[in-house]
Amino acid sequence: MTLEIKICGLKTDEAVEAALSAGADLLGFVFFAKSPRNVSLDEAVRLAALARGRAKIVALVVDADDETLAAIATRLAPDLLQLHGHESPERVAAIRAATGVAVMKALPIADRADLEVVPAHAAVADRILFDAKPPKTAEALPGGNGLSFDWRLVADLDPGRPVMLSGGLTPETVAEAIAVTGVSGLDVSSGVESAPGVKDPARIRAFIANARAADRRRASSRGSKP
């Protein structure tokens, strides 16, 4: 399976173009006021127009209400809604039915017990995203904290849906993440920034180049096995 790479939290034309030119498969726009990566719907629509047809558009929301979701679905027309809050499996199913948009449910992971909810969410979501559980502090965000978890917990885990990995991914760690987990999708945000919310084009290019190289090594290794 071809490795898919998502660059999330894009806010500028320069960042969008850097992600596209480097070969990103998905571009993520954050709709969460507390995040330094938050964008308005108007701005997301404008930025997405630069990428439409070149990469999939992802809208990240956190426990969004029906009115907000309807507006995003109608005006942005994303390929994927990323649900990064406390959405229950029932809420995930309801959002998918109401918007008609495919959904990716983010699941925070810290230990093996956190994997118990995977089957219920996999039954209703189109994709699953494994992210590091945020710290219990007032400043912590649902994602984009730059923290990793023990990737061995999700090594070769197959919930019957495409899986993406997030949390602590950087140009320096992405090769290890691919080797350890075997995942077919990566989602990076803070790991390609020079400051919170400020994407670094050089780090975006390095992340994607290193990920592709690691994926080629993985494919070569599998192909050489008897």
Side-chain angles (χ1 to χ4, degrees):
M1 183 180 294
T2 302
L3 180 71
E4 287 190 303
I5 300 175
K6 173 174 170 279
I7 306 296
C8 196
L10 299 166
K11 296 175 61 177
T12 66
D13 295 29
E14 180 187 33
V16 168
E17 289 297 341
L20 291 170
S21 63
D25 302 290
L26 303 94
L27 304 188
F29 301 99
V30 174
F31 299 95
F32 184 56
K34 294 181 180 179
S35 172
R37 303 165 189 95
N38 182 59
V39 291
S40 68
L41 183 52
D42 286 344
E43 189 64 5
V45 169
R46 188 188 69 78
L47 292 170
L50 303 175
R52 191 82 61 185
R54 301 168 67 187
K56 292 180 179 178
I57 307 302
V58 183
L60 185 156
V61 297
V62 180
D63 297 315
D65 59 31
D66 291 344
E67 182 179 1
T68 298
L69 291 165
I72 292 172
T74 300
R75 293 194 54 207
L76 183 62
D79 298 286
L80 198 63
L81 282 171
Q82 181 173 328
L83 308 181
H84 221 102
H86 298 90
E87 298 90 357
S88 67
E90 293 76 18
R91 178 61 175 158
V92 172
I95 289 172
R96 193 181 189 285
T99 63
V101 179
V103 297
M104 175 164 67
K105 181 66 182 91
L107 299 177
I109 305 297
D111 53 45
R112 192 165 299 281
D114 293 320
L115 298 175
E116 294 176 2
V117 301
V118 172
H121 282 287
V124 293
D126 298 274
R127 295 179 184 231
I128 295 295
L129 171 68
F130 293 120
D131 197 1
K133 182 173 286 188
K136 295 180 179 180
T137 63
E139 308 83 39
L141 301 170
N145 295 295
L147 302 175
S148 63
F149 63 95
D150 185 352
W151 293 325
R152 293 172 298 179
L153 292 171
V154 298
D156 298 314
L157 182 64
D158 182 10
R161 292 286 186 271
V163 168
M164 301 198 89
L165 178 72
S166 189
L169 296 176
T170 68
E172 296 77 24
T173 65
V174 66
E176 179 186 0
I178 290 172
V180 169
T181 65
V183 294
S184 58
L186 302 169
D187 184 354
V188 65
S189 186
S190 62
V192 291
E193 293 179 344
S194 57
V198 181
K199 290 293 183 286
D200 183 333
R203 287 188 68 77
I204 290 175
R205 290 191 292 270
F207 181 89
I208 294 177
N210 292 351
R212 298 293 185 207
D215 189 45
R216 288 192 294 272
R217 289 194 295 272
R218 175 173 62 177
S220 176
S221 175
R222 288 176 175 173
S224 64
K225 291 180 180 180

